[in-house]
């Protein structure tokens, strides 16, 4: 097939610097993973909860991810692994243990269950390193970027798949991810999201798949038809040659996706597969639905889709497009509840919600992006909904910041981190621009449940902040403005105020901390 994707690429993302070879931080308390956000077929067969109820671990290397898996009491002990930084071949090694089976050239989730991997902080990028799920169940992957995974050339990983699943895999939810390549098979890449050999009950939601020859498949051959029950919704497929996805047998529910620049073919239903295709937006593409490259027919039920500048080939031989006027040739029953956005607003909604580092925003069918459910944030939500400070509730007790240390990032000339713990409102710290962070730290774990952010006169307005347990990376609270911020009592050695957006330059006079 033509490899048109290679010549359409924008500049490649720069490869991240090598991280430290190891690094795991354990949370001092267990966590309960969010399950309310799980959608589609991943809600069936008992549901998908990932690491709910287990320990939360912080990892900054691939080796640390493997260590976290291998350090569990058993292969089914629930765990949430919060990942930040660039994960690559330079910091990923095989780790051995009774609760794991890992490898050096990929993140290996083999013969395990009850695991959540979620990007936090400044983001998680798996660079040239794929994630492989084999003989495993109840897995959540959320808020990560996986890019440039190759099957040929150097380095190679995971058979060239960004995320690959095979051999009796059950209940996987992949959400708010960015999966991307830099060309097609001739450039060394394979699929972005592949399932084969009896993989079932999978949902791919709010993700971006782009710049690849192959978007993904369900079934590795015309005889591999034991896969299915897969949901694809609110994803962006952009600059893909084919397989968005390729279906061989099984059932797929495909709704509210935005397809743009599909160069050769799109949803390819083959070998008896049945696809329910609802309220998608297809744009500037070719042969976006049908049975292609085989005489083993597949089927589809269509409704509410928009075809904007889509071209269709003539039917002949192994080319059987559904268009130019697609009509249903099967019916598909869906066992779970869902709400459709109108196809007309899909490009806008998907553009604001899909991909890593989008704040995990979702759609409720109103064509307006929504924040995650504030009643169920869980550790799979690295950026909880805002907890607004309450300046009318002044803290009582001892200001624990007095006598503590301070550090941070982005310090403006003439200011000092230490000014936020000196007890004086006449001195202050400012970032060098509108964003930056400042921390209060102690030599031993200190219990904190409330802070008071006091600004100096002439300060810019804090539009958005995050309060972070620096020991584990857990977000304690987020919101806007200054004043009193309360959260669940937490023992920690270092607490960080991250100012992520501001009008003007904020001036933090005091970063007060209290036990209650």
């Amino acid at each position: 097939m033509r490899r048109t994707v290679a010549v359409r690429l924008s500049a490649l993302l720069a490869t991240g610097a090598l991280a430290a070879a190891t690094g795991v931080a354990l949370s001092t308390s267990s966590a309960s993973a969010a399950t309310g956000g799980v959608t589609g077929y991943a809600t069936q067969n008992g549901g998908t909860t990932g690491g709910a109820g287990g320990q939360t671990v912080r990892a900054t290397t691939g080796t640390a991810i493997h260590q976290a898996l291998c350090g569990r009491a058993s292969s089914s002990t629930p765990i949430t692994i919060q990942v930040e930084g660039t994960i690559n071949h330079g910091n990923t090694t095989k780790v051995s243990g009774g609760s794991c089976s890992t490898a050096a050239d990929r993140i290996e989730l083999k013969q395990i269950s009850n695991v959540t991997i979620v990007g936090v902080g400044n983001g998680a990028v798996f660079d040239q390193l794929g994630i492989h799920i084999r003989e495993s169940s109840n897995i959540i992957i959320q808020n990560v970027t996986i890019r440039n995974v190759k099957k040929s050339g150097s380095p190679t990983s995971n058979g060239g798949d960004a995320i690959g699943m095979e051999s009796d895999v059950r209940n996987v939810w992949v959400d708010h991810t960015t999966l991307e390549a830099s060309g097609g098979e001739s450039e060394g890449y394979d699929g972005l999201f592949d399932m084969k050999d009896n993989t079932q009950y999978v949902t791919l939601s709010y993700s971006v798949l782009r710049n690849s020859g192959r978007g993904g498949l369900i079934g590795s051959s015309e005889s591999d038809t034991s896969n299915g029950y897969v949901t694809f919704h609110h994803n962006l497929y952009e600059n893909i040659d084919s397989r968005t996805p390729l279906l061989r047998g099984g059932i797929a529910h495909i709704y509210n996706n935005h397809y743009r620049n599909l160069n050769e073919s799109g949803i390819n239903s083959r070998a008896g597969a049945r696809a329910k295709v609802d309220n998608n937006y297809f744009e500037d593409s070719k042969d976006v639905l049908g049975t292609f490259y085989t005489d083993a027919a597949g089927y589809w039920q269509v409704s509410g889709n928009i075809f904007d500048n889509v071209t269709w080939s003539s039917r002949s031989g192994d080319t059987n497009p559904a268009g130019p006027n697609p009509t249903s040739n099967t019916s598909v029953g869906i066992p779970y509840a869902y709400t459709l956005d109108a196809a007309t607003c899909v490009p806008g909604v998907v553009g604001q919600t899909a991909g890593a580092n989008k704040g995990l925003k979702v759609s409720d069918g109103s064509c307006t992006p929504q924040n995650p459910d504030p009643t169920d944030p869980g550790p799979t939500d690295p950026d909880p909904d805002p907890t607004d400070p309450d300046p009318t509730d002044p803290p009582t007790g001892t200001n624990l910041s007095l006598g503590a240390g301070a550090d941070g990032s982005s310090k403006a000339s003439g200011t000092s981190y230490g000014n936020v713990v000196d007890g004086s409102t006449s001195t202050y710290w400012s970032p060098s621009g509108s964003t930056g962070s400042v921390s209060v730290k102690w030599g031993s774990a200190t219990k904190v449940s409330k802070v008071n952010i006091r600004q100096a006169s002439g300060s810019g307005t804090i539009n958005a902040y995050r309060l972070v347990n620096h020991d584990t990376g857990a977000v304690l609270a987020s919101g806007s403005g200054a004043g009193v911020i309360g959260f669940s009592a937490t023992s920690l050695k270092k607490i960080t105020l991250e100012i992520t957006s501001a009008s003007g330059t904020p001036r933090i006079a005091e970063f007060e901390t209290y036990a209650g």
Side-chain angles (χ1 to χ4, degrees), residues 176-193:
H176 283 91
T177 63
T178 298
L179 311 177
E180 55 192 9
S182 295
E185 188 175 20
S186 61
E187 286 77 37
Y189 304 97
D190 197 7
L192 296 176
F193 194 71

Side-chain angles (χ1 to χ4, degrees), residues 395-397 400 447-450 514-516:
T396 58
L400 303 174
K447 184 178 179 181
V448 180
S449 68
K450 189 173 290 186
Y514 297 87

Side-chain angles (χ1 to χ4, degrees), residues 90-222:
N91 60 38
T92 301
T93 58
K94 179 178 180 178
V95 177
S96 298
S99 61
C100 67
S101 178
T102 69
D105 64 341
R106 58 190 176 271
I107 299 300
E108 183 75 276
L109 307 180
K110 181 179 179 181
Q111 298 171 343
I112 62 174
S113 60
N114 309 326
V115 174
T116 294
I117 295 177
V118 56
V120 298
N122 293 320
V125 176
F126 293 79
D127 186 45
Q128 299 182 289
L129 199 76
I131 295 178
H132 185 231
I133 304 172
R134 182 183 180 95
E135 300 169 71
S136 295
S137 63
N138 196 23
I139 307 294
I140 295 175
I141 300 173
Q142 190 173 49
N143 200 42
V144 302
T145 295
I146 307 175
R147 67 190 187 197
N148 294 335
V149 180
K150 285 191 169 186
K151 66 177 181 179
S152 62
S154 181
T156 60
S157 175
N158 203 31
D161 296 337
I163 295 178
M165 291 163 269
E166 62 179 316
S167 300
D168 304 321
V169 173
R170 292 291 185 276
N171 290 87
V172 177
W173 181 36
V174 177
D175 177 66
H176 283 91
T177 63
T178 298
L179 311 177
E180 55 192 9
S182 295
E185 188 175 20
S186 61
E187 286 77 37
Y189 304 97
D190 197 7
L192 296 176
F193 194 71
D194 280 10
M195 292 157 277
K196 56 189 178 182
D197 192 14
N198 198 22
T199 293
Q200 298 180 0
Y201 300 105
V202 176
T203 296
L204 176 66
S205 57
Y206 297 101
S207 292
V208 173
L209 298 87
R210 62 188 174 205
N211 299 341
S212 177
R214 297 169 173 174
L217 58 77
I218 302 174
S220 60
S221 68
E222 307 295 65

